């Protein structure tokens, strides 16, 4: 089809150059209930929107004639060497985006020299993901009853996981109206109209029904619709942890020999308490705007948290869509960032290759931005590379 460099097809496929391109492509491929599950947020979406807007309030202070070649993107998180400062955040039920879900994501992370954080509510079990990969990835725990937490920790440890993140911003499930309107629940319901709408996405429907990776397999046996409904009931009963408290965190610290991070911290005071409970790191996160609406944007609270726990690794997630976002978070003190939805889009579009491509986009954008900034490496970043803007620099 190519003659002398011209593409003679009537309409060439639009190249997927950015995370936002992947988002649009993923949204076309997924039925409404899955689209809402992945892309939606809580209540008025104020925090979801704020996560993006916070990045647009920072600009750069570039330095010229610095003579640096090939910026260095490498860093370490939890003592693990990474080729780029971007990890894959825990995402439950990835099998809804693509049946290969967590296995595809962890493999893509490995191919790109980073790590995947496996959700407690993953579509593939702890053991299946460990057997399909060659590196020690990270495990995310929704702690509820002591017995289940102990069992999950033992399984993760025995499978080779050495870093665990405990998520603490889920006392109850956030109110996601988009999910409720489209039948995602809780509990999930499938009306005839929804079933018909799914048929507009035949590839997704065929693959999802065939492979049945739609339940939280660490918690529930089987992959059919009944198991999916059961996992949501389990979520209501267990994953939501209204009674969880700081003593439980200390108890988890005592029960886990590896590195332990707490995910879902939004104030300096809570970061200090986490460190006094023996945490090795904190993840500044509002769960991607899916839990408490009007919680602050993660980037806005990052500086106060970094200042409060200067000797602790601080990671950030929420709204990271561009390499320049990663650089801003690192300049404000994050060791690395995690991405949630961006890799779910990659999964929906192209399974393992799609996730790897999303990571490539981040790596290319980080490298180019560092070069344009005149910065030698991600390690060299600090607040002097940034300039605050009272009005957002773009619409984000
Ligand atoms: C579909 C979906 C499922 C998620 N499941 C989990 C989970 O099981 N455990 C968890 O700690 N966080 C979960 N999160 C939150 C992410 O780990 C992360 O905090 C958030 O996605 C970051 O925001 P971003 O999507 O803007 O990158 C989920 C997020 C999404 C989008
Ligand atoms: C039983 C499935 C629960 C998935 C929870 C995933 C999650 O944390 C989210 O934000 O959604």
């Amino acid at each position: 089809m190519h003659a002398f460099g011209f593409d003679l097809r009537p309409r060439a496929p639009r190249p997927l150059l950015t995370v936002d391109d992947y988002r649009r492509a993923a949204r076309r491929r997924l039925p409404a209930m899955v689209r809402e599950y992945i892309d939606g947020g809580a209540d008025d979406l104020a925090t979801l929107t704020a996560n993006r807007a916070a990045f647009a309030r920072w600009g750069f202070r570039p330095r010229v004639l610095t003579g640096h070649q090939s910026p260095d993107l490498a860093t370490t998180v939890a003592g693990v060497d990474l080729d780029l400062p971007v990890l894959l955040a825990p995402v439950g039920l990835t099998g809804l985006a693509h049946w290969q879900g967590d296995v595809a994501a962890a493999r893509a992370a490995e191919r790109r020299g980073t790590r995947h954080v496996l959700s407690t509510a993953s579509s593939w079990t702890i053991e299946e993901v460990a057997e399909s990969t060659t590196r020690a990835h990270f495990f995310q725990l929704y702690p509820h009853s002591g017995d289940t937490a102990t069992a999950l920790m033992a399984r993760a440890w025995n499978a080779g996981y050495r870093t665990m993140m405990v998520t603490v911003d889920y006392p109850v499930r956030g109110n996601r109206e988009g999910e409720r309107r489209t039948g995602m629940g809780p509990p999930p319901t499938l009306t005839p109209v929804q079933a018909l709408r799914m048929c507009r996405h035949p590839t997704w429907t065929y693959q999802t029904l065939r492979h049945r990776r739609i339940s939280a397999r660490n918690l529930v046996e089987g992959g059919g619709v009944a198991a999916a409904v059961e996992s949501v009931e389990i979520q209501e009963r267990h994953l939501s942890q209204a009674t969880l408290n700081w003593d439980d965190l200390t108890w988890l610290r005592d029960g886990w020999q590896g590195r332990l991070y707490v995910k879902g911290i939004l104030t300096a005071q809570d970061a200090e308490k986490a460190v006094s409970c023996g945490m090795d790191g904190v993840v500044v996160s509002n769960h991607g705007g899916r839990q408490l609406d009007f919680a602050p944007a993660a980037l806005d609270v990052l500086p106060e948290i970094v200042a409060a726990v200067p000797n602790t690794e601080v990671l950030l997630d929420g709204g990271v869509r561009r390499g320049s976002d990663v650089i801003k978070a690192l300049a404000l003190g994050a060791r690395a960032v995690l991405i949630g939805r961006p890799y779910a889009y990659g999964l929906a579009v192209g399974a393992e290759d799609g996730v790897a491509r999303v990571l490539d986009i981040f790596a290319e954008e980080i490298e180019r931005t560092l070069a344009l900034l005149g910065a030698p490496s991600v390690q060299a970043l600090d607040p002097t590379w940034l300039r605050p803007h009272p009005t957002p620099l773009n619409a984000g």
Side-chain angles (χ1 to χ4, degrees):
M1 285 302 218
H2 292 261
F4 307 111
F6 292 105
D7 190 338
L8 300 178
R9 281 170 294 188
R11 210 172 117 219
R14 193 184 143 100
L16 302 179
L17 300 180
T18 65
V19 168
D20 216 40
D21 289 342
Y22 270 86
R23 175 176 189 248
R24 276 188 292 268
R27 288 180 66 86
R28 280 195 298 273
R29 270 161 214 241
L30 299 171
M33 65 199 294
V34 180
R35 219 158 49 213
E36 283 300 332
Y37 169 62
I38 291 173
D39 230 12
D43 299 336
D44 296 323
L45 314 183
T47 296
L48 180 70
T49 313
N51 275 346
R52 283 298 302 134
F55 286 100
R57 286 194 297 272
W58 289 99
F60 290 122
R61 293 166 58 91
R63 299 174 197 176
V64 296
L65 302 174
T66 54
H68 300 305
Q69 268 189 331
S70 313
D72 183 4
L73 273 54
T75 192
T76 60
V77 169
V80 175
D81 292 330
L82 303 180
D83 292 345
L84 82 163
V86 179
L87 299 118
L88 303 186
V91 168
L93 304 184
T94 52
L96 290 175
H98 189 279
W99 68 273
Q100 291 169 7
D102 314 284
V103 165
R107 283 192 179 147
E110 214 158 280
R111 269 165 63 187
R112 292 297 176 261
T114 185
R115 293 292 184 275
H116 167 244
V117 187
L118 183 72
S119 166
T120 289
S122 54
S123 301
W124 291 72
T125 65
I126 295 170
E127 295 78 11
E128 285 170 328
V129 177
E131 280 160 21
S132 310
T133 51
T134 60
R135 303 293 169 95
H137 292 269
F138 300 175
F139 178 66
Q140 175 262 329
L141 182 72
Y142 275 128
H144 41 93
S145 79
D147 286 353
T148 317
T150 306
L152 284 168
M153 284 196 285
R155 283 175 59 190
W157 185 267
N158 292 336
Y161 289 81
R162 293 294 176 264
T163 299
M164 189 168 82
M165 288 182 185
V166 186
T167 300
V168 294
D169 56 10
Y170 209 97
V172 295
R173 188 171 174 83
N175 174 40
R176 299 145 191 198
E177 288 158 7
E179 288 183 14
R180 292 168 63 190
R181 288 198 181 98
T182 51
M184 189 61 196
T189 46
L190 194 57
T191 62
V193 173
Q194 279 151 1
L196 270 176
R197 286 199 181 130
M198 274 187 186
C199 297
R200 289 193 209 145
H201 306 270
T203 311
W204 180 91
T205 305
Y206 172 74
Q207 291 190 341
T208 306
L209 291 180
R210 172 146 191 247
H211 298 283
R212 300 173 359 134
R213 286 279 164 183
I214 57 175
S215 63
R217 287 276 175 109
N218 289 318
L219 307 168
V220 169
E221 299 271 325
V225 173
V229 173
E230 192 187 339
S231 15
V232 173
E233 283 162 11
I234 287 197
Q235 172 204 331
E236 289 301 294
R237 268 185 288 126
H238 293 305
L239 298 189
S240 311
Q241 336 128 33
T243 62
L244 199 71
N245 60 49
W246 290 102
D247 291 339
D248 296 320
L249 209 61
T250 308
W251 177 82
L252 289 167
R253 172 68 286 180
D254 292 342
W256 180 257
Q257 299 170 55
R259 306 267 182 132
L260 191 55
Y261 286 59
V262 60
K263 174 172 180 282
I265 295 293
L266 290 171
T267 66
Q269 291 84 347
D270 279 351
E272 283 164 357
K273 280 190 204 163
V275 171
S276 69
C277 291
M279 296 298 117
D280 298 298
V282 299
V283 184
V284 178
S285 172
N286 50 41
H287 214 103
R290 301 164 72 79
Q291 287 295 101
L292 173 66
D293 203 20
F294 293 97
L299 191 75
D300 284 343
V301 293
L302 176 67
E304 75 174 66
I305 291 173
V306 169
V309 291
N311 302 315
T312 301
E313 264 181 31
V314 177
L315 309 179
L316 169 137
D317 73 25
V320 177
R321 300 292 179 268
R322 284 277 192 187
S324 55
D325 299 336
V326 179
I327 288 176
K328 290 173 188 178
L330 268 53
L332 292 173
R335 174 64 70 98
V337 302
L338 300 99
I339 51 168
R341 295 179 184 88
Y343 87 87
Y345 306 146
L347 260 181
V349 172
E352 181 181 330
D353 286 345
V355 180
R357 181 66 198 126
V358 165
L359 286 169
D360 285 341
I361 290 172
F362 275 106
E364 288 158 15
E365 291 184 352
I366 295 168
E367 189 171 351
R368 188 183 315 115
T369 308
L370 285 173
L372 290 168
L373 262 181
S377 65
V378 294
Q379 310 279 353
L381 294 169
D382 64 24
T384 63
W385 295 91
L386 299 184
R387 174 189 295 283
H389 276 259
T391 51
L393 277 171
N394 65 32

